[in-house]
Amino acid sequence: MANHIRYVIDAYTTSTFTPNDIQRRLPIKLDQDVRINKRGHRVITITFRTPEDQRILGCGEIDEILLGLGISAFRIIISRVITYEIEGGVIGSSAGGTGSYAYTKKPDVSLLIAVLSGVAGYLVGSTVERVEKILKVCRKRNGIWENLSENE
């Protein structure tokens, strides 16, 4: 179990780039490779994770980095997540002051226990992440970034 910062970026693109291109341009140390999900003809979702002690990038800063690759971000969500390893890991939760934990070497059983106990937020590779707190939500309208989160 570890704490991380998760970035989820929805963007438009017409260029051909690789996750390594993005990873090389980011000015921070990543704790996981950059992943790209294609959602439509020109719409993609880029996601990556950093250790909790890393500097949190601003929405404008992320957009500026991506524009150099021909990617135009339109929504960015930055959140603090707790990461659980599935295989051979301990999955736990607490409800009403009582905790429950389970240990198993079977990933599908671990995931089922996590989901039923309310731990799982979403599955990323061989880990399950639960959102602890949404730090920032930004949206670009007419070329200007709007902060939609209530924390700032």
Side-chain angles (χ1 to χ4, degrees):
M1 181 172 80
N3 292 335
H4 295 95
I5 303 298
R6 166 69 61 192
Y7 294 82
V8 179
I9 304 156
D10 292 326
Y12 298 113
T13 186
T14 56
S15 69
T16 57
F17 56 88
T18 65
N20 287 337
D21 295 334
I22 297 170
Q23 203 160 320
R24 279 195 300 272
R25 288 185 176 241
L26 290 171
I28 54 176
K29 178 181 162 264
L30 299 182
D31 196 42
Q32 181 188 55
D33 292 338
V34 172
R35 296 174 189 257
I36 299 172
N37 298 323
K38 302 225 181 247
R39 291 189 352 211
H41 178 63
R42 292 181 41 211
V43 179
I44 61 171
T45 299
I46 302 167
T47 183
F48 57 90
R49 185 178 76 197
T50 64
E52 187 179 36
D53 59 353
Q54 287 287 314
R55 175 178 73 87
I56 297 174
L57 298 173
C59 295
E61 186 177 6
I62 294 169
D63 189 37
E64 189 176 311
I65 292 166
L66 296 177
L67 279 173
L69 291 168
I71 303 167
S72 177
F74 62 87
R75 181 177 40 239
I76 300 174
I77 301 169
I78 304 169
S79 57
R80 178 175 288 116
V81 297
I82 298 176
T83 306
Y84 299 88
E85 294 293 329
I86 290 180
E87 189 155 346
V90 175
I91 305 292
S93 73
S94 64
T98 59
S100 65
Y101 295 91
Y103 176 81
T104 179
K105 288 222 177 242
K106 295 182 179 178
D108 55 343
V109 174
S110 293
L111 182 59
L112 180 62
I113 292 168
V115 169
L116 293 176
S117 63
V119 173
Y122 49 91
L123 179 66
V124 181
S126 64
T127 62
V128 174
E129 289 186 352
R130 177 175 60 102
V131 175
E132 175 102 335
K133 181 179 182 182
I134 295 178
L135 302 174
K136 189 181 285 191
V137 178
C138 304
R139 174 179 61 183
K140 191 193 301 185
R141 292 187 92 174
N142 300 324
I144 299 170
W145 282 100
E146 296 177 341
N147 185 11
L148 302 176
S149 52
E150 299 175 6
N151 322 24
E152 294 185 19

